[in-house]
Amino acid sequence: MRRADRLFQIVQLIRGRRLSTAQFLAERLEVSERTVYRDVADLMAQGVPIEGEAGVGYRMRPGFDLPPLMFTHEEAQALVASVRIAQPRLDAALSAQADAALSKILAVLPAPARAAAESLAVYAPPINFDTKTRARLEALRLATDARRFVSIHYIDLKDQPSERTLRPLGCFYWGAVWTLAAWCETRNAFRNFRIDRIQQLDVQDRTFRDEPGKTMADLFRAVETEMAERDCSTDA
């Protein structure tokens, strides 16, 4: 990769994340961390508003923009494939936004790249999600973004009903169903719920703040620990 291209990629990667470490940038660009430090220092010296320092991470100050991007044929096809696969699996509002975003990108592409993208022979069949499930997926996505508590009436796989108050953390798609990962105030622990088995959903007005031990990062760490312990017991 030419250095000019690498500098451009560094700007793009930092713009797309809240905080980018030198290790992350080095792995993505397949260069050494020392090269990243030097490149970022050069960008900062040229007036690119990057904040941060070595050993901590970098972020872009708000308001910085670049000229419109030109995608390669393969990159344009990847965007089309991603939207086609995602749309049938998203809630109606997010699906529409994905289509609108793709239309804007295709509109500014050179004719050959646009033709290559639109003629891509990769498709995704419709998914049989009922209207209520899609509506609840959207409500949970918005509640997660707004950090709002939710109350649910739920029936588990053994047909046992329960009522829960949750801190919604994220929605996960597993190829056939969507699940909600949440901190359950009722059980005082992380829990997962199939969205299609939620019988009633109420988004509360009150909000929550991230607390140690109750965040998505904590959930990921707990899962990683559980998997590591399982691997150790299997090896033994």
Side-chain angles (χ1 to χ4, degrees):
M1 180 186 296
R2 297 182 307 161
R3 185 166 187 268
D5 294 333
R6 188 173 70 244
L7 293 177
F8 180 82
Q9 289 298 322
I10 288 175
V11 171
Q12 291 299 96
L13 290 169
I14 293 176
R15 287 178 70 207
R17 293 166 57 88
R18 292 182 180 178
L19 191 69
S20 299
T21 64
Q23 179 183 0
F24 165 79
L25 295 171
E27 290 175 353
R28 289 294 300 271
L29 298 170
E30 298 181 349
V31 297
S32 68
E33 291 185 32
R34 183 176 180 180
T35 297
V36 170
Y37 293 142
R38 184 176 64 249
D39 287 347
V40 170
D42 288 345
L43 286 167
M44 295 171 71
Q46 295 170 23
V48 179
I50 296 174
E51 297 177 336
E53 57 183 294
V56 177
Y58 303 102
R59 65 179 181 180
M60 192 73 66
R61 289 202 301 271
F64 180 72
D65 204 0
L66 288 172
L69 302 181
M70 289 296 104
F71 296 98
T72 66
H73 288 198
E74 292 77 13
E75 290 170 341
Q77 288 182 330
L79 287 170
V80 170
S82 299
V83 172
R84 285 181 182 175
I85 293 171
Q87 273 189 304
R89 294 154 177 82
L90 299 173
D91 60 72
L94 201 57
S95 176
Q97 293 301 321
D99 187 57
L102 182 61
S103 296
K104 289 179 180 179
I105 293 172
L106 292 176
V108 299
L109 288 178
R114 183 168 65 251
E118 293 176 335
S119 63
L120 178 68
V122 173
Y123 304 94
I127 303 297
N128 189 27
F129 288 143
D130 61 85
T131 304
K132 289 183 178 179
T133 297
R134 288 189 183 277
R136 286 168 186 156
L137 176 60
E138 180 178 355
L140 288 168
R141 174 174 60 81
L142 296 175
T144 301
D145 289 343
R147 294 291 195 273
R148 293 189 181 278
F149 285 97
V150 299
S151 300
I152 65 170
H153 291 207
Y154 188 73
I155 297 181
D156 65 20
L157 294 177
K158 296 181 180 179
D159 290 328
Q160 297 298 311
S162 64
E163 297 182 16
R164 309 291 185 96
T165 298
L166 309 173
R167 301 180 182 213
L169 300 177
C171 297
F172 293 79
Y173 181 66
W174 299 95
V177 297
W178 279 95
T179 62
L180 169 70
W183 174 264
C184 180
E185 298 286 302
T186 309
R187 298 291 188 265
N188 198 36
F190 291 114
R191 290 291 187 270
N192 291 292
F193 303 90
R194 278 183 49 162
I195 294 177
D196 61 341
R197 300 190 72 85
I198 295 175
Q199 304 302 299
Q200 181 177 328
L201 169 66
D202 295 304
V203 179
Q204 301 182 10
D205 290 332
R206 67 187 183 111
T207 60
F208 61 88
R209 295 182 178 179
D210 289 342
E211 296 179 18
K214 300 180 181 181
T215 67
M216 180 64 81
D218 295 312
L219 173 57
F220 284 152
R221 281 192 288 269
V223 171
E224 289 174 357
T225 299
E226 181 181 346
M227 293 177 64
E229 291 175 349
R230 188 180 304 166
D231 290 341
C232 288
S233 62
T234 301
D235 293 340

